[in-house]
């Protein structure tokens, strides 16, 4: 049994060695057949022949032709996930990127609350003087003022003595002069006039003139003389009215910005309660200083017959 095993091994080794030394399969097969015949002969004569020593291995055969590639095997099952690695150290800061493209316009926001009013701005320069407006509608006559006390008898006036038991009748004197010591600005509107008032009355015989309102109220029926004098360095208009009816006026324009003086006068018949005063036209002005450049005067020429 041991000998058969050794013989099989030798055949296997010979086959392996010779498989790699022959150039093709036919040559190898012939070699095997020859080897088999020789082996059969040995087996036939083995009982009577003495076993010889193992011969030396033959030389290696030539390399055989490479066989065809085998069919690829099936894909193996996915392996299990490995253990996460240790996080690496933080790298250095990167360089600043370039400027991006502008974004789309945003939506309009809601209207905010109104802010507080701002401080008033400085006053603008005065506008140019406009044209004179039309006279206003005369107003209603005011109520008669209280009659003043009788003044001292006029030495020039005559005293008339009547028959006994009749009272003595004395002719009453009436006269006034009032002045302004400061400028007077009219209303801004063209159609609105302004009464001229005065800072003081130099003379007020009879007490029928009120310098704070600028009005003379008749207390004695008769004929009166009135005169006024004004000064201004620009366009001005002053009207003398009786119960708000225009009587006489002045209108001047000092275009060269120099002071000009204007005056006018009138004789009027008045009854008790009539009023006479000066009105400043709308958008006009008067100039005056402590030199008393603007004045208004009036006096009784003679009383109406029957009032003495």
């Amino acid at each position: 049994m041991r000998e058969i095993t050794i013989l099989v091994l030798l055949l296997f080794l010979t086959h392996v060695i010779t498989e790699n030394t022959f150039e093709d399969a036919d040559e190898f097969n012939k070699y095997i057949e020859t080897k088999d015949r020789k082996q059969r002969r040995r087996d036939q004569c083995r009982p009577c022949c003495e076993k010889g020593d193992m011969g030396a291995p033959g030389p290696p055969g030539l390399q055989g032709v490479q066989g065809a590639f085998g069919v690829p095997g099936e894909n193996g099952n996915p392996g299990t996930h490995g253990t996460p690695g240790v996080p690496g150290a933080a790298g250095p800061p990167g360089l600043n990127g370039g400027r991006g493209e502008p974004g789309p316009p945003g939506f309009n926001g809601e209207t905010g609350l109104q802010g507080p009013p701002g401080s008033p701005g400085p006053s603008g320069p005065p506008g140019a003087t406009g044209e004179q407006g039309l006279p206003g509608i005369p107003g209603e006559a005011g109520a008669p003022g209280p009659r003043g006390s009788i003044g001292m008898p006029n030495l020039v006036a005559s005293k008339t003595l009547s028959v006994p038991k009749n009272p003595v009748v004395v002719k009453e004197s009436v006269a006034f002069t009032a002045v302004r010591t400061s400028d007077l600005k009219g209303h801004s509107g063209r159609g609105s006039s302004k009464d001229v008032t005065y800072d003081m009355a130099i003379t007020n015989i009879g007490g029928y003139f009120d310098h704070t309102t600028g009005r003379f109220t008749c207390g004695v029926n008769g004929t009166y003389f009135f005169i006024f004098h004004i000064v201004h360095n620009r366009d001005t208009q002053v009207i003398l009215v009786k119960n708000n009816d225009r009587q006489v006026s002045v209108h001047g324009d000092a275009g060269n910005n120099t002071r000009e003086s204007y005056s006018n006068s009138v004789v009027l018949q008045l009854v008790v309660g009539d009023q006479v005063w000066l009105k400043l036209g709308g958008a006009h002005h008067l100039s005056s200083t402590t030199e008393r450049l603007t004045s208004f005067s009036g006096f009784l020429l003679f009383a109406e017959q029957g009032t003495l």
Side-chain angles (χ1 to χ4, degrees):
M1 186 67 179
R2 180 179 180 185
E3 294 176 352
I4 294 173
T5 301
I6 292 173
L7 178 60
V8 172
L9 289 176
L10 289 175
L11 290 174
F12 176 76
L13 290 175
T14 304
H15 174 72
V16 172
I17 293 172
T18 56
E19 188 180 9
N20 295 328
T21 57
F22 295 100
E23 294 180 354
D24 51 28
D26 292 336
E27 187 177 359
F28 174 73
N29 291 331
K30 290 179 181 180
Y31 172 75
I32 293 299
E33 290 177 356
T34 303
K35 198 166 187 63
D36 288 341
R37 286 195 300 269
K38 291 179 179 180
Q39 184 63 37
R40 283 194 299 269
R41 291 193 189 102
R42 283 194 212 96
D43 292 338
Q44 291 175 359
C45 64
R46 184 178 302 269
C48 60
C49 294
E50 186 179 354
K51 182 180 178 182
D53 298 329
M54 185 179 297
L62 299 177
Q63 183 175 358
V65 180
Q66 182 177 357
F69 289 101
V71 179
E74 296 180 358
N75 293 333
N77 295 328
T80 58
H81 293 287
T83 305
V86 179
L95 300 176
N96 292 333
R99 185 174 182 177
E101 296 294 331
F107 296 104
N108 293 332
E110 297 181 357
T111 303
L113 300 176
Q114 182 177 359
S119 302
S123 300
T129 302
E131 298 178 358
Q132 178 183 350
L134 298 175
I137 300 174
E140 297 180 358
R147 183 169 182 172
S149 58
I150 299 176
M152 296 294 295
N154 192 338
L155 298 178
V156 179
S158 61
K159 294 183 180 180
T160 303
L161 299 178
S162 60
V163 294
K165 296 183 181 180
N166 287 341
V168 177
V169 179
V170 179
K171 181 178 180 181
E172 186 176 2
S173 297
V174 179
F176 72 90
T177 294
V179 295
R180 283 193 63 85
T181 59
S182 59
D183 294 343
L184 178 64
K185 294 183 178 180
H187 294 303
S188 59
R190 287 284 176 186
S192 59
S193 58
K194 186 175 187 178
D195 293 351
V196 179
T197 58
Y198 305 90
D199 299 301
M200 61 182 300
I202 297 177
T203 303
N204 191 12
I205 299 175
Y208 297 113
F209 182 77
D210 186 352
H211 72 277
T212 60
T213 63
R215 298 194 178 198
F216 170 79
T217 303
C218 177
V220 178
N221 297 343
T223 303
Y224 291 80
F225 176 79
F226 296 95
I227 186 171
F228 59 93
H229 181 84
I230 63 172
V231 172
H232 194 47
N233 61 352
R234 291 179 62 186
D235 185 29
T236 188
Q237 180 190 37
V238 175
I239 308 163
L240 185 146
V241 297
K242 169 191 171 184
N243 297 334
N244 220 27
D245 292 333
R246 180 193 294 258
Q247 304 300 314
V248 293
S249 63
V250 295
H251 188 188
D253 184 8
N256 55 0
N257 231 19
T258 58
R259 283 185 174 176
E260 300 287 346
S261 62
Y262 312 92
S263 64
N264 208 340
S265 59
V266 66
V267 175
L268 297 175
Q269 285 186 318
L270 304 178
V271 296
V272 174
D274 287 343
Q275 289 188 321
V276 179
W277 71 94
L278 298 181
K279 296 174 70 174
L280 181 61
H284 294 283
H285 307 278
L286 289 179
S287 295
S288 191
T289 63
T290 54
E291 297 175 358
R292 305 177 183 181
L293 302 176
T294 296
S295 64
F296 179 36
S297 300
F299 56 88
L300 175 65
L301 291 175
F302 46 86
E304 184 179 324
Q305 199 71 17
T307 60
L308 299 178

